Amino acid sequence: MKKLTYLFFVIILVAFSQQNYSQFKDYGQKFGVRGSILFPENEFANFGFSGNNNTTFDWYKFSWLGEAFFGFELSKALELSINGGYGKYAGKAFFDDANTTFGEYETKIVPLHLRLRISPFDAQGWNPYLYIGAGAVSYTVSSKPTITGSKATEDEGWAALVPVGIGAEFALTDRVLLDFALGGAMTSTYDLDAYRSGSDDIWDSYFNASLGFSFVGENCDVDKDNDGLGKCLEQQIGTDPMNPDTDGDGLSDGDEYLNYKTNPLNKDTDSDGLSDYDEVKTYKTNPLLADTDGEGLNDGDEVLKHKTDPLKADTDNDGLNDNEEVMKYKTNPLKADTDGDGLKDGDEVMKHKTDPLKADTDGDRLNDGDEVTKHKTNPLNKDTDGGTVEDGVEVERGTDPLNAEDDVVKVGVPIILEGITFDVNKSTIKPESEAILMKALKTLQTYPEIEVEIGGHTDSDGSAKSNLKLSQARADAVKAWLVEKGIDAKRITTKGYGEDKPIADNKTKEGKAKNRRIEFTRIK
């Protein structure tokens, strides 16, 4: 039975011997004292009723053991202790199947052993454990029972000792623990009870109930707040060893000090307006650098005020960094084209020198984008061709903002409407003449006070009479087109000049083409 009991203890110990962590760990060293009540286990009945009829009640004879120990950690879950003690192993010498008492035995014992303790659980306020040990016990018999036929025993000597048991610690203060345990110990001697029967001898042993006090220290590696920093290091850097996040920024002191190199006493190490946690976990910015992207705005202002990307110097990819947009040019760092004129802010500032806050820098009624990309006019000069009419007016009326000659229609100065063509020897206007005619129409609409002459001219081919007639017909055809578009016929006169006013040599094909023309002349 006794062997089965010890086997049961060993099985429990092995089953639960796994690493764990609790507030009772990381103490470094420990010393303490414990007192135990012993319940001897040997050939005699040491407690309870004697005899088969239970007529006599024999009280237990008090046995005890006082011990002192010194322990230190092997790991978070294992403790090794050196134990020494002094006690009395005693009892009444009678057998269960007889009422006869043969006196008493009493033996002084001095056990010395190493004990391995396993703390398999993580509990608050208490620390359950298992233990097993090995050592030796010195014994001295001071009182023997008188039993006929008893074999000689050793009155003193040494024997092997194997203690095993379970227990729990309870925290009284930070440094003082109450220790309660139940267990037992087996020895390798038959002589603790001063009796050998010669048959069916069993090793003497005992069960015990123990109560003691432990006094613990803490080594420099103790980490009660589980933040990854030992006690001594936390004291050195000024963090709270009982608070895993001293500055309350969401990062543990260990992560700040060991991994991110931030200040665990300051939730915003770089003073950029973002907590270290936000920088590391949310925005991925550098918690040690106030301006991660190096464009001149601190990360906090970018995130909280301007809504720009603190990891990107030019959030809107317009060619200006966020700081230049916010502080220098006052443009929108989230919008590549602040004034909506079709040009990026960077191109306006760096390339075209236009105002990125003003869609029409020169105030000519054309936005900068249209001037640069469509009309090829100067967005910094409202009258690109210098002809006294603004670019916007010219575009609206259909004149060329790059040609000063068509800006103002002067009295008596003919304007050749190049591009108006007719069928051969006819006054039928060809469709491709539409664009030029529209410019003439636009001029008459823009200047409603003027009156004009439409003059027709031919080359020298054919007779002078037929050419005069043809030129008049062509001038009349142009007038008819303009009148059809809404121009008052009274504002237009026509005249055919035939071949009388050539502007080029009629001897060449090119010259003849130039002489076949329609002229637009202001007469009032």
Side-chain angles (χ1 to χ4, degrees), residues 339-387:
D339 57 11
D341 62 0
L343 297 176
K344 286 185 178 181
D345 297 338
D347 286 343
E348 293 216 57
V349 169
M350 303 297 180
K351 186 176 180 180
H352 307 298
K353 312 302 180 185
T354 48
D355 186 346
L357 297 174
K358 196 173 180 181
D360 180 11
T361 299
D362 58 8
D364 63 358
R365 292 190 290 178
L366 296 177
N367 71 47
D368 298 336
D370 285 344
E371 294 217 58
V372 169
T373 61
K374 184 177 180 180
H375 305 298
K376 311 304 179 184
T377 50
N378 186 347
L380 301 174
N381 185 350
K382 62 177 60 180
D383 181 14
T384 299
D385 59 13

Side-chain angles (χ1 to χ4, degrees), residues 6 10 113 131-136 159-164 184-188 205-206:
Y6 279 105
V10 172
H113 68 276
Y131 70 86
I132 187 171
L161 180 72
V162 179
V164 65
M186 179 177 287
T187 73
S188 63
S205 58
Y206 58 82

Side-chain angles (χ1 to χ4, degrees), residues 393 397 409 440-452 486-492 520 522 524:
V393 174
R397 75 185 189 187
V409 182
L441 175 63
K442 190 68 176 180
T443 299
L444 291 171
Q445 290 173 334
T446 303
Y447 302 100
E449 74 280 1
I450 70 173
E451 295 179 9
V452 300
I487 301 301
D488 188 351
K490 295 178 181 179
R491 296 174 59 196
I492 305 173
F520 187 95
R522 180 179 177 181
K524 181 180 178 182

Side-chain angles (χ1 to χ4, degrees), residues 405-459:
E405 293 183 0
D406 64 358
D407 282 17
V408 178
V409 182
K410 298 179 181 179
V411 176
V413 179
I415 300 173
I416 299 174
L417 300 180
E418 293 183 2
I420 296 179
T421 58
F422 301 88
D423 291 342
V424 179
N425 293 324
K426 294 182 180 180
S427 61
T428 305
I429 300 172
K430 289 186 175 181
E432 59 262 28
S433 305
E434 181 85 7
I436 302 302
L437 288 170
M438 287 300 296
K439 286 189 176 183
L441 175 63
K442 190 68 176 180
T443 299
L444 291 171
Q445 290 173 334
T446 303
Y447 302 100
E449 74 280 1
I450 70 173
E451 295 179 9
V452 300
E453 176 192 275
I454 304 297
H457 299 267
T458 67
D459 58 26

